[in-house]
Amino acid sequence: KRVEMADGAWLLRHHALDVSSTLLHAVDQISSAAPFRHMVTPGGFSMSVAMTNCGPFGWVTDRRGYRYQTTDPESGKPWPAMPQSFQSLAESAARDAGYPDFIPNACLINRYEPGAKMSLHQDKDEKDFTNPIVSVSLGLPATFQFGGMNRTDPVRKHVLSHGDVVVWGGPSRLFFHGIMPLKDGIHDAAGRARINLTFRHAAV
Ligand code: MD5
Ligand code: FE
């Protein structure tokens, strides 16, 4: 079933459940080539979420700013290829939410350990906001917060669980959002962590 969480944001509950172990296995392979790391924001803070990427473009941050790049700054090598299982899942979720033409060329992989959080922000580093963002939650549940176009708009909360997929299109593509500090726990398949796959079309 599809639930509209916000204007243009579709929650596809359990959409990734049957491929979740394939996805987690692929995350292990990707992170053995491009390890999870705590990137530094332009303001000089180390992020509590550990990140890596796969696909043609990867999102990075350092003292110079936020950007997409084709190579891993730690190794200088291209990011690991996007597995077919990732691509198929992202495209099928986008199709179910009304975006039959979505082709991701960037996958940011976020790893939250207990206490890790992501403060309220907008995703504005892409060139074309007509493309949706597809987000896949794996492992421990997290409380997602989303507001509106303005930082001060009221915030709503939603728990995202293992296998849930959200397609953020339309007006919600640019809504402020964040993740509350992860509660401690142990997940059968992912251990003491939440993994989020964020699929984007980064460059035109
Ligand atoms: C996460 N990651 O759960 C989220 C999933 C990020 C990030 O926010 O930037 O890495 S993507 C959630 C998202 C994307 C675009 C719009 C909205 C939410 N929204 O309108 O709420 O680790
Ligand atoms: Fe975001």
Side-chain angles (χ1 to χ4, degrees), residues 118 121 123 177 200:
M118 199 176 283
H121 67 279
D123 290 13
H177 59 277
R200 301 188 174 88

Side-chain angles (χ1 to χ4, degrees), residues 37-51 61-63 116-117 119:
R37 79 290 306 263
H38 295 274
M39 296 187 199
V40 175
T41 64
F45 295 98
S46 179
M47 298 184 78
S48 61
V49 178
M51 298 176 166
T61 176
D62 59 19
R63 291 305 300 242
K117 65 178 170 63
S119 305

Side-chain angles (χ1 to χ4, degrees), residues 108 110 112 121 123 144 168 172 175 177 179 194 196 200:
L108 171 65
N110 292 326
Y112 296 77
H121 67 279
D123 290 13
F144 183 84
W168 305 95
S172 78
F175 283 3
H177 59 277
I179 297 282
R194 169 179 190 255
N196 180 265
R200 301 188 174 88

